[in-house]
Amino acid sequence: MWFKNLRVYKITEALNLEPEALERALTEHKFSPCTGQEAVRMGFTYPLHHSIKQYHHQQQHLHLFAVKRQEKVLPAAVINEELQPKIDALEMEKGRPLGRKEKQALKEELIQTLLPRAFSRSTVTTALYDAENQWFIVNSSSAGKAEDVLSLVRKALGSLPALPWIDNNQLNLAMQQWLTDQDLPTAFKLGNEAELKAPDEEGAKVKFSNHLLTAAEVQSHLEDKLVTKLEFVVEGQASFMVCDDGGLKKLRFHEVLANQNDELGWDDMVLRLDADLLVMANELAVLLKALQQAVTPAA
């Protein structure tokens, strides 16, 4: 339930999510395993718990989705071991070395024959639509996986008007300023992790972990490098890494928040999960609004 990484999008038009119609739409795109020749397949699965057989879960203004992705695993070493004898045999038959396109065609043909015997690997990505703040939040560190989730939701709903939640250029400038003079968002403190990268072609990188970020050793790198990742701590709430592309990683909620609903126990699982969902969503709203205000004060 507790998100660990965030890809956030701004929904530009409120979504009409009538529960019964939405459930039917998601069911039409529910997950089913890959067939013999398929390399990848995605579909909706149960977001709250596998025993609660609904593809959409709503709690107040919050709408929870989950997308399951299954892909066939074919290690490169296995492919190459099978491919090389075929290349050798065909080169001997033709009496000449094969060209790049010929080798690629042979490889693609081989992959199709190997797929039915390949192992499958599945992952589930959860997403939250906050109708009050018009945010669509995907629990993933990968922009590609987040876009896959958006694409499937868009396919099911017919449309999903989603844009980046924050201006990356303004965010990049703010991150530089935050580390330079510590003019931080209200209640935010610098953590002890940061990454910086030179903007030239070589792109020299430096990473600090468990390090005092105000130290001269860190500050000296600001002369020729840009901040690409920066950790923040909000006392009593959470710690997280802000990335220059607008993503948040390594999100860890304070144990007081994470344990806030322990008194409810787990006898009523839906009640407990809903309670945790509300706590998490409220905290995310506070953190995201603080970042937005610090980066674009007029927003």
Side-chain angles (χ1 to χ4, degrees):
M1 177 57 64
W2 297 92
F3 285 18
K4 297 180 179 179
N5 301 283
L6 307 182
R7 305 298 306 189
V8 186
Y9 302 85
K10 184 69 176 177
I11 301 300
T12 57
E13 296 178 16
L15 304 180
N16 181 17
L17 301 182
E18 193 281 318
E20 292 186 7
L22 176 59
E23 191 68 19
R24 287 195 300 271
L26 300 182
T27 301
E28 290 180 4
H29 299 278
K30 67 181 180 180
F31 173 79
S32 59
C34 292
T35 59
Q37 297 297 325
E38 284 185 311
V40 178
R41 178 172 280 197
M42 291 196 315
F44 292 102
T45 188
Y46 309 132
L48 199 64
H49 191 271
H50 64 82
S51 65
I52 303 169
K53 301 186 183 304
Q54 292 181 327
Y55 294 102
H56 160 255
H57 181 75
Q58 180 176 358
Q59 174 56 241
Q60 298 183 16
H61 60 284
L62 305 172
H63 301 263
L64 198 62
F65 304 87
V67 172
K68 186 172 183 177
R69 173 189 172 95
Q70 185 181 81
E71 56 185 329
K72 296 290 186 67
V73 180
L74 283 173
V78 173
I79 296 174
N80 293 335
E81 185 176 351
E82 296 270 350
L83 180 61
Q84 194 56 51
K86 294 181 180 295
I87 291 175
D88 293 342
L90 197 54
E91 287 182 339
M92 183 174 293
E93 178 185 325
K94 291 180 176 291
R96 62 172 177 81
L98 295 184
R100 183 178 61 83
K101 290 184 177 180
E102 290 175 305
K103 289 181 180 179
Q104 183 62 31
L106 203 60
K107 181 178 180 179
E108 291 173 359
E109 181 182 328
L110 174 63
I111 288 174
Q112 288 302 310
T113 63
L114 291 176
L115 279 175
R117 294 184 283 145
F119 291 105
S120 297
R121 177 173 58 197
S122 298
T123 57
V124 175
T125 303
T126 312
L128 179 68
Y129 170 51
D130 181 339
E132 185 175 281
N133 295 294
Q134 292 301 309
W135 287 327
F136 196 93
I137 305 170
V138 183
N139 182 20
S140 177
S141 62
S142 166
K145 287 184 178 180
E147 289 295 337
D148 284 344
V149 171
L150 291 180
S151 178
L152 188 61
V153 174
R154 186 176 292 114
K155 187 176 181 180
L157 301 184
S159 68
L160 184 66
L163 294 174
W165 75 291
I166 204 164
D167 184 285
N168 282 358
N169 290 328
Q170 291 181 317
L171 175 61
N172 298 165
L173 292 173
M175 290 174 68
Q176 202 75 9
Q177 181 180 3
W178 291 336
L179 188 55
T180 301
D181 56 22
Q182 290 82 59
D183 184 17
L184 306 177
T186 303
F188 283 38
K189 296 181 180 179
L190 285 178
N192 57 17
E193 291 190 41
E195 291 187 24
L196 299 90
K197 180 180 178 181
D200 54 28
E201 292 184 2
E202 287 75 15
K205 296 180 182 179
V206 61
K207 178 179 179 179
F208 294 96
S209 182
N210 296 321
H211 205 291
L212 180 64
L213 298 185
T214 55
E217 179 185 355
V218 179
Q219 296 293 312
S220 65
H221 286 280
L222 290 167
E223 297 177 5
D224 61 351
K225 295 181 181 69
L226 302 177
V227 182
T228 56
K229 295 180 182 178
L230 188 59
E231 185 187 34
F232 288 106
V233 175
V234 183
E235 292 293 340
Q237 290 181 268
S239 63
F240 54 92
M241 183 89 75
V242 177
C243 304
D244 60 355
D245 63 355
L248 273 65
K249 296 183 178 181
K250 298 184 178 181
L251 176 59
R252 293 183 289 270
F253 291 94
H254 193 279
E255 61 179 10
V256 172
L257 289 175
N259 299 331
Q260 182 172 320
N261 297 314
D262 280 357
E263 63 182 21
L264 297 176
W266 289 97
D267 291 339
D268 188 332
M269 184 173 56
V270 176
L271 176 66
R272 174 58 188 271
L273 291 174
D274 275 342
D276 285 349
L277 176 63
L278 286 170
V279 171
M280 182 189 73
N282 288 337
E283 292 306 315
L284 289 182
V286 171
L287 297 177
L288 294 176
K289 285 178 181 178
L291 279 171
Q292 273 191 328
Q293 290 295 328
V295 173
T296 53

